[in-house]
Amino acid sequence: MTAPQHPSKTPVTLVTGFLGAGKTTLLNHVLATVPNRRFAVIENEFGNDGLDGSLVGLSREAVFELNDGCVCCTVRQDLIDVFEGLLERPDDFDHIIIETTGLAEPGPVLRIFDLPSIRGGFRLDGVVTVVDAAHFEESLHEVEACEEQVTYADALILNKVDLLTDEQRKTVERRLAKLNPLASVVHAQQARVDAEALLTMGGRSASAVDAVPHHDHDHDHHHHDDEH
């Protein structure tokens, strides 16, 4: 008898980005254009209004909301709990997407993949950061987490490029390249990109997080409800 095959680890894509950059627009684009994959979406939101109704093609059982705290702060344990719960449903989902708030720092999220209880069943496929091209410098100066979001990215989606002149776009690209010379940069309008490519970046080592400059998280950021 052939030995039983161990199921492969479920890939996870982290979607982060500035306030109003278009993360949820990107997420809906991915869900709409990759219908043959069974997604679970972990949303980190504030306030009482959930987003499960605004995500195309997903049932309530496939959306996990982390409310009343930043995913990089108070609800980090809640995120771990969600993953541990998903381990009990290995046949229900093919891919996990985490969408953070616009003020979340990616580092603490990535480090959960070093936990034995998580890395046994999941692998981090890639970090996607959505950049609001029209308000990049403003966001960078106002919110410290924005720089970290760019620095940790495997792919940078330069969204709303239609609002920039060629020279303005080149200026933003130079700034992004200085912050993260290794990330790929994709131009987009309304977050329309090659969704399949974003979901198959090939993975990264969570331990590599320690090699990226980390900004101490002092919990002194302000959260808004209008980032989508």
Side-chain angles (χ1 to χ4, degrees):
M1 180 180 294
T2 304
Q5 297 295 314
H6 295 288
S8 59
K9 296 180 181 181
T10 303
V12 180
T13 299
L14 175 63
V15 177
T16 186
F18 312 162
L19 297 168
K23 296 185 300 299
T24 300
T25 302
L26 172 66
L27 181 53
N28 272 321
H29 171 67
V30 170
L31 297 176
T33 56
V34 191
N36 61 336
R37 209 167 299 191
R38 297 170 299 171
F39 290 101
V41 173
I42 302 174
E43 291 272 357
N44 182 204
E45 289 307 311
F46 293 91
N48 298 320
D49 296 329
L51 287 175
D52 56 313
S54 67
L55 298 179
V56 299
L58 285 187
S59 67
R60 288 182 177 273
E61 291 74 22
V63 180
F64 303 86
E65 295 182 77
L66 308 177
N67 295 309
D68 302 322
C70 177
V71 73
C72 59
C73 310
T74 59
V75 299
R76 184 171 179 268
Q77 183 58 50
D78 291 342
L79 177 61
I80 294 171
D81 292 343
V82 168
F83 272 110
E84 291 179 346
L86 288 171
L87 283 172
E88 300 176 3
R89 305 167 60 184
D91 299 324
D92 289 353
F93 304 108
D94 302 316
H95 203 111
I96 314 297
I97 299 177
I98 306 173
E99 180 189 355
T100 71
T101 70
L103 295 166
E105 296 175 355
V109 181
L110 302 188
R111 288 187 179 89
I112 74 169
F113 292 93
D114 274 335
L115 299 176
S117 62
I118 305 301
R119 70 181 180 220
F122 303 95
R123 63 175 177 82
L124 181 64
D125 185 75
V127 179
V128 179
T129 297
V130 185
V131 178
D132 183 344
H135 300 94
F136 174 64
E137 289 295 338
E138 178 183 345
S139 299
L140 199 60
H141 285 100
E142 288 185 355
V143 183
E144 184 177 287
C146 290
E147 181 174 336
E148 185 167 329
Q149 290 169 0
V150 171
T151 303
Y152 277 92
D154 297 301
L156 293 163
I157 297 180
L158 191 56
N159 199 25
K160 308 178 186 180
V161 290
D162 52 311
L163 303 180
L164 301 182
T165 65
D166 287 344
E167 188 55 41
Q168 288 173 328
R169 175 181 52 78
K170 291 176 182 178
T171 298
V172 173
E173 288 176 336
R174 286 193 292 268
R175 187 78 166 102
L176 291 174
K178 184 176 181 180
L179 291 171
N180 187 344
L182 300 180
S184 61
V185 178
V186 181
H187 295 175
Q189 297 179 33
Q190 299 181 341
R192 295 186 178 277
V193 296
D194 183 343
E196 189 66 41
L198 290 185
L199 299 174
T200 54
M201 285 190 282
R204 59 184 282 163
S205 170
S207 61
V209 171
D210 293 326
V212 181
H214 177 64
H215 304 284
D216 291 333
H217 188 53
D218 59 8
H219 298 255
D220 187 29
H221 48 222
H222 303 284
H223 298 287
H224 305 272
D225 297 325
D226 59 351
E227 60 185 275
H228 303 283

PDB file of all heavy atoms in Angstrom, residues 83-113:
ATOM      1  N   PHE A  83      -5.731  31.064  12.817  1.00  0.00           N
ATOM      2  CA  PHE A  83      -4.925  30.094  12.078  1.00  0.00           C
ATOM      3  C   PHE A  83      -5.024  28.700  12.696  1.00  0.00           C
ATOM      4  O   PHE A  83      -5.124  27.696  11.971  1.00  0.00           O
ATOM      5  CB  PHE A  83      -3.463  30.543  12.024  1.00  0.00           C
ATOM      6  CG  PHE A  83      -3.150  31.435  10.864  1.00  0.00           C
ATOM      7  CD1 PHE A  83      -2.863  32.777  11.046  1.00  0.00           C
ATOM      8  CD2 PHE A  83      -3.147  30.938   9.571  1.00  0.00           C
ATOM      9  CE1 PHE A  83      -2.583  33.601   9.970  1.00  0.00           C
ATOM     10  CE2 PHE A  83      -2.868  31.752   8.483  1.00  0.00           C
ATOM     11  CZ  PHE A  83      -2.575  33.089   8.686  1.00  0.00           C
ATOM     12  N   GLU A  84      -4.995  28.636  14.005  1.00  0.00           N
ATOM     13  CA  GLU A  84      -5.098  27.337  14.653  1.00  0.00           C
ATOM     14  C   GLU A  84      -6.462  26.706  14.390  1.00  0.00           C
ATOM     15  O   GLU A  84      -6.590  25.490  14.250  1.00  0.00           O
ATOM     16  CB  GLU A  84      -4.822  27.475  16.143  1.00  0.00           C
ATOM     17  CG  GLU A  84      -3.351  27.822  16.420  1.00  0.00           C
ATOM     18  CD  GLU A  84      -3.039  27.989  17.897  1.00  0.00           C
ATOM     19  OE1 GLU A  84      -3.997  28.107  18.692  1.00  0.00           O
ATOM     20  OE2 GLU A  84      -1.849  27.994  18.253  1.00  0.00           O
ATOM     21  N   GLY A  85      -7.509  27.547  14.283  1.00  0.00           N
ATOM     22  CA  GLY A  85      -8.819  27.033  13.926  1.00  0.00           C
ATOM     23  C   GLY A  85      -8.866  26.534  12.493  1.00  0.00           C
ATOM     24  O   GLY A  85      -9.500  25.521  12.186  1.00  0.00           O
ATOM     25  N   LEU A  86      -8.158  27.233  11.605  1.00  0.00           N
ATOM     26  CA  LEU A  86      -8.114  26.819  10.198  1.00  0.00           C
ATOM     27  C   LEU A  86      -7.372  25.495  10.028  1.00  0.00           C
ATOM     28  O   LEU A  86      -7.641  24.749   9.074  1.00  0.00           O
ATOM     29  CB  LEU A  86      -7.439  27.902   9.354  1.00  0.00           C
ATOM     30  CG  LEU A  86      -8.248  29.180   9.138  1.00  0.00           C
ATOM     31  CD1 LEU A  86      -7.392  30.246   8.470  1.00  0.00           C
ATOM     32  CD2 LEU A  86      -9.489  28.902   8.304  1.00  0.00           C
ATOM     33  N   LEU A  87      -6.473  25.189  10.950  1.00  0.00           N
ATOM     34  CA  LEU A  87      -5.768  23.912  10.888  1.00  0.00           C
ATOM     35  C   LEU A  87      -6.731  22.738  11.021  1.00  0.00           C
ATOM     36  O   LEU A  87      -6.450  21.626  10.553  1.00  0.00           O
ATOM     37  CB  LEU A  87      -4.708  23.833  11.993  1.00  0.00           C
ATOM     38  CG  LEU A  87      -3.410  24.612  11.767  1.00  0.00           C
ATOM     39  CD1 LEU A  87      -2.560  24.594  13.017  1.00  0.00           C
ATOM     40  CD2 LEU A  87      -2.643  24.040  10.585  1.00  0.00           C
ATOM     41  N   GLU A  88      -7.866  22.994  11.654  1.00  0.00           N
ATOM     42  CA  GLU A  88      -8.863  21.936  11.832  1.00  0.00           C
ATOM     43  C   GLU A  88      -9.760  21.794  10.604  1.00  0.00           C
ATOM     44  O   GLU A  88     -10.629  20.922  10.565  1.00  0.00           O
ATOM     45  CB  GLU A  88      -9.712  22.241  13.064  1.00  0.00           C
ATOM     46  CG  GLU A  88      -8.895  22.330  14.349  1.00  0.00           C
ATOM     47  CD  GLU A  88      -9.733  22.740  15.551  1.00  0.00           C
ATOM     48  OE1 GLU A  88     -10.966  22.892  15.384  1.00  0.00           O
ATOM     49  OE2 GLU A  88      -9.156  22.886  16.637  1.00  0.00           O
ATOM     50  N   ARG A  89      -9.548  22.648   9.604  1.00  0.00           N
ATOM     51  CA  ARG A  89     -10.360  22.607   8.372  1.00  0.00           C
ATOM     52  C   ARG A  89      -9.448  22.563   7.149  1.00  0.00           C
ATOM     53  O   ARG A  89      -9.545  23.386   6.248  1.00  0.00           O
ATOM     54  CB  ARG A  89     -11.268  23.842   8.309  1.00  0.00           C
ATOM     55  CG  ARG A  89     -12.141  24.016   9.547  1.00  0.00           C
ATOM     56  CD  ARG A  89     -12.790  25.397   9.584  1.00  0.00           C
ATOM     57  NE  ARG A  89     -13.645  25.647   8.429  1.00  0.00           N
ATOM     58  CZ  ARG A  89     -14.249  26.813   8.208  1.00  0.00           C
ATOM     59  NH1 ARG A  89     -14.077  27.831   9.056  1.00  0.00           N
ATOM     60  NH2 ARG A  89     -15.018  26.975   7.150  1.00  0.00           N
ATOM     61  N   PRO A  90      -8.537  21.596   7.084  1.00  0.00           N
ATOM     62  CA  PRO A  90      -7.526  21.587   6.021  1.00  0.00           C
ATOM     63  C   PRO A  90      -8.094  21.420   4.617  1.00  0.00           C
ATOM     64  O   PRO A  90      -7.432  21.792   3.644  1.00  0.00           O
ATOM     65  CB  PRO A  90      -6.631  20.405   6.407  1.00  0.00           C
ATOM     66  CG  PRO A  90      -7.528  19.505   7.197  1.00  0.00           C
ATOM     67  CD  PRO A  90      -8.420  20.423   7.972  1.00  0.00           C
ATOM     68  N   ASP A  91      -9.274  20.869   4.500  1.00  0.00           N
ATOM     69  CA  ASP A  91      -9.834  20.625   3.174  1.00  0.00           C
ATOM     70  C   ASP A  91     -10.793  21.711   2.710  1.00  0.00           C
ATOM     71  O   ASP A  91     -11.359  21.635   1.616  1.00  0.00           O
ATOM     72  CB  ASP A  91     -10.571  19.277   3.164  1.00  0.00           C
ATOM     73  CG  ASP A  91      -9.643  18.113   3.474  1.00  0.00           C
ATOM     74  OD1 ASP A  91      -8.473  18.164   3.033  1.00  0.00           O
ATOM     75  OD2 ASP A  91     -10.076  17.168   4.158  1.00  0.00           O
ATOM     76  N   ASP A  92     -10.990  22.738   3.536  1.00  0.00           N
ATOM     77  CA  ASP A  92     -11.982  23.766   3.204  1.00  0.00           C
ATOM     78  C   ASP A  92     -11.410  24.908   2.375  1.00  0.00           C
ATOM     79  O   ASP A  92     -12.154  25.582   1.659  1.00  0.00           O
ATOM     80  CB  ASP A  92     -12.590  24.346   4.488  1.00  0.00           C
ATOM     81  CG  ASP A  92     -13.508  23.357   5.191  1.00  0.00           C
ATOM     82  OD1 ASP A  92     -13.774  22.281   4.609  1.00  0.00           O
ATOM     83  OD2 ASP A  92     -13.955  23.655   6.314  1.00  0.00           O
ATOM     84  N   PHE A  93     -10.093  25.156   2.482  1.00  0.00           N
ATOM     85  CA  PHE A  93      -9.512  26.329   1.841  1.00  0.00           C
ATOM     86  C   PHE A  93      -8.210  25.990   1.124  1.00  0.00           C
ATOM     87  O   PHE A  93      -7.427  25.171   1.594  1.00  0.00           O
ATOM     88  CB  PHE A  93      -9.253  27.428   2.873  1.00  0.00           C
ATOM     89  CG  PHE A  93     -10.477  27.818   3.657  1.00  0.00           C
ATOM     90  CD1 PHE A  93     -10.627  27.463   4.987  1.00  0.00           C
ATOM     91  CD2 PHE A  93     -11.499  28.530   3.044  1.00  0.00           C
ATOM     92  CE1 PHE A  93     -11.755  27.818   5.704  1.00  0.00           C
ATOM     93  CE2 PHE A  93     -12.640  28.889   3.742  1.00  0.00           C
ATOM     94  CZ  PHE A  93     -12.772  28.529   5.072  1.00  0.00           C
ATOM     95  N   ASP A  94      -7.994  26.669  -0.012  1.00  0.00           N
ATOM     96  CA  ASP A  94      -6.758  26.488  -0.783  1.00  0.00           C
ATOM     97  C   ASP A  94      -5.754  27.606  -0.529  1.00  0.00           C
ATOM     98  O   ASP A  94      -4.555  27.430  -0.780  1.00  0.00           O
ATOM     99  CB  ASP A  94      -7.064  26.485  -2.287  1.00  0.00           C
ATOM    100  CG  ASP A  94      -8.059  25.411  -2.672  1.00  0.00           C
ATOM    101  OD1 ASP A  94      -7.915  24.277  -2.193  1.00  0.00           O
ATOM    102  OD2 ASP A  94      -8.988  25.723  -3.447  1.00  0.00           O
ATOM    103  N   HIS A  95      -6.234  28.760  -0.072  1.00  0.00           N
ATOM    104  CA  HIS A  95      -5.366  29.932   0.063  1.00  0.00           C
ATOM    105  C   HIS A  95      -5.953  30.859   1.120  1.00  0.00           C
ATOM    106  O   HIS A  95      -7.166  31.047   1.173  1.00  0.00           O
ATOM    107  CB  HIS A  95      -5.278  30.675  -1.278  1.00  0.00           C
ATOM    108  CG  HIS A  95      -4.056  31.527  -1.422  1.00  0.00           C
ATOM    109  ND1 HIS A  95      -3.032  31.244  -2.304  1.00  0.00           N
ATOM    110  CD2 HIS A  95      -3.684  32.675  -0.796  1.00  0.00           C
ATOM    111  CE1 HIS A  95      -2.097  32.168  -2.213  1.00  0.00           C
ATOM    112  NE2 HIS A  95      -2.477  33.060  -1.308  1.00  0.00           N
ATOM    113  N   ILE A  96      -5.073  31.424   1.933  1.00  0.00           N
ATOM    114  CA  ILE A  96      -5.485  32.370   2.969  1.00  0.00           C
ATOM    115  C   ILE A  96      -4.962  33.751   2.605  1.00  0.00           C
ATOM    116  O   ILE A  96      -3.797  33.900   2.219  1.00  0.00           O
ATOM    117  CB  ILE A  96      -4.929  31.980   4.362  1.00  0.00           C
ATOM    118  CG1 ILE A  96      -5.128  30.490   4.642  1.00  0.00           C
ATOM    119  CG2 ILE A  96      -5.557  32.856   5.447  1.00  0.00           C
ATOM    120  CD1 ILE A  96      -6.559  30.055   4.693  1.00  0.00           C
ATOM    121  N   ILE A  97      -5.827  34.760   2.722  1.00  0.00           N
ATOM    122  CA  ILE A  97      -5.402  36.145   2.504  1.00  0.00           C
ATOM    123  C   ILE A  97      -5.657  36.934   3.780  1.00  0.00           C
ATOM    124  O   ILE A  97      -6.756  36.889   4.337  1.00  0.00           O
ATOM    125  CB  ILE A  97      -6.167  36.801   1.339  1.00  0.00           C
ATOM    126  CG1 ILE A  97      -5.917  36.053   0.035  1.00  0.00           C
ATOM    127  CG2 ILE A  97      -5.734  38.264   1.179  1.00  0.00           C
ATOM    128  CD1 ILE A  97      -6.702  36.592  -1.152  1.00  0.00           C
ATOM    129  N   ILE A  98      -4.645  37.626   4.257  1.00  0.00           N
ATOM    130  CA  ILE A  98      -4.784  38.520   5.410  1.00  0.00           C
ATOM    131  C   ILE A  98      -4.780  39.943   4.884  1.00  0.00           C
ATOM    132  O   ILE A  98      -3.850  40.355   4.185  1.00  0.00           O
ATOM    133  CB  ILE A  98      -3.627  38.359   6.413  1.00  0.00           C
ATOM    134  CG1 ILE A  98      -3.465  36.908   6.855  1.00  0.00           C
ATOM    135  CG2 ILE A  98      -3.857  39.255   7.633  1.00  0.00           C
ATOM    136  CD1 ILE A  98      -2.233  36.677   7.725  1.00  0.00           C
ATOM    137  N   GLU A  99      -5.812  40.702   5.223  1.00  0.00           N
ATOM    138  CA  GLU A  99      -5.833  42.128   4.881  1.00  0.00           C
ATOM    139  C   GLU A  99      -5.735  42.933   6.173  1.00  0.00           C
ATOM    140  O   GLU A  99      -6.615  42.867   7.022  1.00  0.00           O
ATOM    141  CB  GLU A  99      -7.101  42.512   4.127  1.00  0.00           C
ATOM    142  CG  GLU A  99      -7.120  43.998   3.759  1.00  0.00           C
ATOM    143  CD  GLU A  99      -8.456  44.469   3.207  1.00  0.00           C
ATOM    144  OE1 GLU A  99      -9.352  43.633   3.006  1.00  0.00           O
ATOM    145  OE2 GLU A  99      -8.593  45.690   3.000  1.00  0.00           O
ATOM    146  N   THR A 100      -4.672  43.686   6.308  1.00  0.00           N
ATOM    147  CA  THR A 100      -4.472  44.460   7.526  1.00  0.00           C
ATOM    148  C   THR A 100      -5.068  45.853   7.385  1.00  0.00           C
ATOM    149  O   THR A 100      -5.427  46.289   6.300  1.00  0.00           O
ATOM    150  CB  THR A 100      -2.976  44.617   7.846  1.00  0.00           C
ATOM    151  OG1 THR A 100      -2.378  45.503   6.891  1.00  0.00           O
ATOM    152  CG2 THR A 100      -2.265  43.280   7.818  1.00  0.00           C
ATOM    153  N   THR A 101      -5.136  46.553   8.492  1.00  0.00           N
ATOM    154  CA  THR A 101      -5.517  47.962   8.442  1.00  0.00           C
ATOM    155  C   THR A 101      -4.369  48.758   7.821  1.00  0.00           C
ATOM    156  O   THR A 101      -3.238  48.284   7.703  1.00  0.00           O
ATOM    157  CB  THR A 101      -5.781  48.534   9.849  1.00  0.00           C
ATOM    158  OG1 THR A 101      -4.526  48.618  10.551  1.00  0.00           O
ATOM    159  CG2 THR A 101      -6.747  47.673  10.633  1.00  0.00           C
ATOM    160  N   GLY A 102      -4.661  49.980   7.459  1.00  0.00           N
ATOM    161  CA  GLY A 102      -3.641  50.815   6.842  1.00  0.00           C
ATOM    162  C   GLY A 102      -2.537  51.237   7.784  1.00  0.00           C
ATOM    163  O   GLY A 102      -1.517  51.768   7.349  1.00  0.00           O
ATOM    164  N   LEU A 103      -2.708  50.977   9.067  1.00  0.00           N
ATOM    165  CA  LEU A 103      -1.715  51.407  10.049  1.00  0.00           C
ATOM    166  C   LEU A 103      -0.978  50.239  10.695  1.00  0.00           C
ATOM    167  O   LEU A 103      -0.239  50.427  11.651  1.00  0.00           O
ATOM    168  CB  LEU A 103      -2.399  52.252  11.125  1.00  0.00           C
ATOM    169  CG  LEU A 103      -2.968  53.577  10.599  1.00  0.00           C
ATOM    170  CD1 LEU A 103      -3.920  54.188  11.623  1.00  0.00           C
ATOM    171  CD2 LEU A 103      -1.851  54.547  10.279  1.00  0.00           C
ATOM    172  N   ALA A 104      -1.187  49.052  10.171  1.00  0.00           N
ATOM    173  CA  ALA A 104      -0.544  47.879  10.760  1.00  0.00           C
ATOM    174  C   ALA A 104       0.867  47.710  10.222  1.00  0.00           C
ATOM    175  O   ALA A 104       1.129  47.894   9.037  1.00  0.00           O
ATOM    176  CB  ALA A 104      -1.361  46.628  10.457  1.00  0.00           C
ATOM    177  N   GLU A 105       1.778  47.345  11.103  1.00  0.00           N
ATOM    178  CA  GLU A 105       3.143  47.038  10.707  1.00  0.00           C
ATOM    179  C   GLU A 105       3.239  45.546  10.388  1.00  0.00           C
ATOM    180  O   GLU A 105       2.764  44.713  11.163  1.00  0.00           O
ATOM    181  CB  GLU A 105       4.115  47.413  11.823  1.00  0.00           C
ATOM    182  CG  GLU A 105       4.127  48.913  12.107  1.00  0.00           C
ATOM    183  CD  GLU A 105       4.994  49.275  13.300  1.00  0.00           C
ATOM    184  OE1 GLU A 105       5.503  48.337  13.953  1.00  0.00           O
ATOM    185  OE2 GLU A 105       5.164  50.473  13.568  1.00  0.00           O
ATOM    186  N   PRO A 106       3.814  45.173   9.268  1.00  0.00           N
ATOM    187  CA  PRO A 106       3.832  43.764   8.850  1.00  0.00           C
ATOM    188  C   PRO A 106       4.685  42.847   9.717  1.00  0.00           C
ATOM    189  O   PRO A 106       4.394  41.657   9.826  1.00  0.00           O
ATOM    190  CB  PRO A 106       4.406  43.829   7.427  1.00  0.00           C
ATOM    191  CG  PRO A 106       4.238  45.249   7.000  1.00  0.00           C
ATOM    192  CD  PRO A 106       4.354  46.065   8.241  1.00  0.00           C
ATOM    193  N   GLY A 107       5.750  43.373  10.317  1.00  0.00           N
ATOM    194  CA  GLY A 107       6.699  42.536  11.030  1.00  0.00           C
ATOM    195  C   GLY A 107       6.085  41.567  12.028  1.00  0.00           C
ATOM    196  O   GLY A 107       6.333  40.355  11.967  1.00  0.00           O
ATOM    197  N   PRO A 108       5.282  42.053  12.987  1.00  0.00           N
ATOM    198  CA  PRO A 108       4.693  41.135  13.970  1.00  0.00           C
ATOM    199  C   PRO A 108       3.797  40.076  13.343  1.00  0.00           C
ATOM    200  O   PRO A 108       3.707  38.961  13.853  1.00  0.00           O
ATOM    201  CB  PRO A 108       3.884  42.079  14.878  1.00  0.00           C
ATOM    202  CG  PRO A 108       4.573  43.401  14.747  1.00  0.00           C
ATOM    203  CD  PRO A 108       5.013  43.461  13.310  1.00  0.00           C
ATOM    204  N   VAL A 109       3.137  40.420  12.242  1.00  0.00           N
ATOM    205  CA  VAL A 109       2.285  39.443  11.557  1.00  0.00           C
ATOM    206  C   VAL A 109       3.145  38.342  10.946  1.00  0.00           C
ATOM    207  O   VAL A 109       2.853  37.150  11.072  1.00  0.00           O
ATOM    208  CB  VAL A 109       1.437  40.120  10.468  1.00  0.00           C
ATOM    209  CG1 VAL A 109       0.532  39.096   9.789  1.00  0.00           C
ATOM    210  CG2 VAL A 109       0.597  41.244  11.056  1.00  0.00           C
ATOM    211  N   LEU A 110       4.225  38.729  10.299  1.00  0.00           N
ATOM    212  CA  LEU A 110       5.081  37.747   9.650  1.00  0.00           C
ATOM    213  C   LEU A 110       5.723  36.802  10.651  1.00  0.00           C
ATOM    214  O   LEU A 110       5.967  35.628  10.344  1.00  0.00           O
ATOM    215  CB  LEU A 110       6.169  38.455   8.840  1.00  0.00           C
ATOM    216  CG  LEU A 110       5.703  39.430   7.755  1.00  0.00           C
ATOM    217  CD1 LEU A 110       6.886  39.891   6.921  1.00  0.00           C
ATOM    218  CD2 LEU A 110       4.648  38.805   6.870  1.00  0.00           C
ATOM    219  N   ARG A 111       5.977  37.289  11.831  1.00  0.00           N
ATOM    220  CA  ARG A 111       6.679  36.464  12.816  1.00  0.00           C
ATOM    221  C   ARG A 111       5.823  35.316  13.344  1.00  0.00           C
ATOM    222  O   ARG A 111       6.351  34.372  13.928  1.00  0.00           O
ATOM    223  CB  ARG A 111       7.179  37.344  13.966  1.00  0.00           C
ATOM    224  CG  ARG A 111       8.336  38.231  13.562  1.00  0.00           C
ATOM    225  CD  ARG A 111       8.936  38.984  14.747  1.00  0.00           C
ATOM    226  NE  ARG A 111      10.060  39.797  14.311  1.00  0.00           N
ATOM    227  CZ  ARG A 111       9.970  41.052  13.886  1.00  0.00           C
ATOM    228  NH1 ARG A 111       8.789  41.643  13.855  1.00  0.00           N
ATOM    229  NH2 ARG A 111      11.030  41.723  13.496  1.00  0.00           N
ATOM    230  N   ILE A 112       4.516  35.377  13.145  1.00  0.00           N
ATOM    231  CA  ILE A 112       3.708  34.246  13.624  1.00  0.00           C
ATOM    232  C   ILE A 112       4.007  32.986  12.806  1.00  0.00           C
ATOM    233  O   ILE A 112       3.746  31.872  13.272  1.00  0.00           O
ATOM    234  CB  ILE A 112       2.196  34.546  13.600  1.00  0.00           C
ATOM    235  CG1 ILE A 112       1.645  34.535  12.175  1.00  0.00           C
ATOM    236  CG2 ILE A 112       1.863  35.836  14.315  1.00  0.00           C
ATOM    237  CD1 ILE A 112       0.134  34.557  12.135  1.00  0.00           C
ATOM    238  N   PHE A 113       4.586  33.156  11.612  1.00  0.00           N
ATOM    239  CA  PHE A 113       4.904  31.983  10.804  1.00  0.00           C
ATOM    240  C   PHE A 113       6.151  31.262  11.301  1.00  0.00           C
ATOM    241  O   PHE A 113       6.518  30.218  10.746  1.00  0.00           O
ATOM    242  CB  PHE A 113       5.061  32.391   9.332  1.00  0.00           C
ATOM    243  CG  PHE A 113       3.776  32.842   8.706  1.00  0.00           C
ATOM    244  CD1 PHE A 113       3.439  34.197   8.687  1.00  0.00           C
ATOM    245  CD2 PHE A 113       2.876  31.931   8.195  1.00  0.00           C
ATOM    246  CE1 PHE A 113       2.245  34.621   8.140  1.00  0.00           C
ATOM    247  CE2 PHE A 113       1.674  32.351   7.651  1.00  0.00           C
ATOM    248  CZ  PHE A 113       1.356  33.702   7.622  1.00  0.00           C
TER     249      PHE A 113
END
